Amino acid sequence: MKKHLPLFILTLLFYSFANAQGFDVRKLTLKSDVILLYDQDSIANTNEIINDYTSVNYYQLKAVSREIKNTVNFKFTNTKLRNLVENEDYFKIYEKGDCLGIGYATPIGPRPKYYGMLFLQKRDKQFHVIGVVENRNPLPNWEDLIKQIKSVTSLEKIKNLQERYTKSIDWFLDNNVMPDDGFITYYKQKGILKTDTAQLNEQQLARARALFFNGNETFLDLIASTNPTEIKAFYLQKLRDIVFQSEYEFGDCLRFSRIATMLTDEFNNNYDDLNRTLTDLLTKDELENYEKRPIMKHLIDLIEKETYKVGKFSSSKL
């Protein structure tokens, strides 16, 4: 290993992603100086035995299929990467519980190529692997993730904080992602935001509302104060859709109870309210579907008659 380019992996995170949404793409991309797409056959594992209780594991990166990001002139050919291994370099203590492993079926015919993506961060003269994405999707399926990463890299080039904030909100809307707490806190500290919630311009608010009412509830918190009557009607319809189903799964009952609780401000915050007790029964196994339906209809009637004041709209309640 060349002395001027030691590569130590401090944290190695394995992700499986679906539609590029299995992990925080924005945050991982902005933290990375180098992002590389590779054929999984181009990475080899090596293991060096140090003594009778220690071995050192490495990744040998032989080739790269595509360079997605490289802001530090990183030379990747035949690079040797230190890989921290669980129960060797670090130890996690698991509480009691079951583990479920899901395997892949062995394909018939020639073995297809599988790909991975490596995220590196440079600190002083060292590079740290802060993320690895691997799955068995064909190469075309990676294009959406690559496109998403490139859209993030355009944000870090913006130096004006107000412009960067505005463009970042556009990115969140484009990618169906809510701004995280750290993002909000940072721009509040910088004086861009005056409250603990994201502020949208008229165009962004219109987009968020359109996405929400078309079925994407991700942005409920962004539009919660815009038209409470309209949002209440939206969720009342969700309750009606559930009650008229022929069968109720546990998830249906749980969603119904959470929406009903939100629309009644947790039954005016009265924990002894009989209607709260009835709502809790919806997720119990003791009741059959035909017994749950009258409870649901009763709760819808209460909400329609405005027996309770409407609670604060928040995705955390759903």
Side-chain angles (χ1 to χ4, degrees), residues 124-138:
D124 297 326
K125 295 183 179 181
Q126 297 181 343
F127 285 84
H128 304 257
V129 174
I130 60 173
V132 175
V133 180
E134 286 191 343
N135 62 32
R136 295 198 172 191
N137 287 336

Side-chain angles (χ1 to χ4, degrees), residues 86-87 90-94:
E86 185 177 354
N87 295 325
Y90 65 93
F91 298 82
K92 293 177 67 175
I93 308 302
Y94 295 93

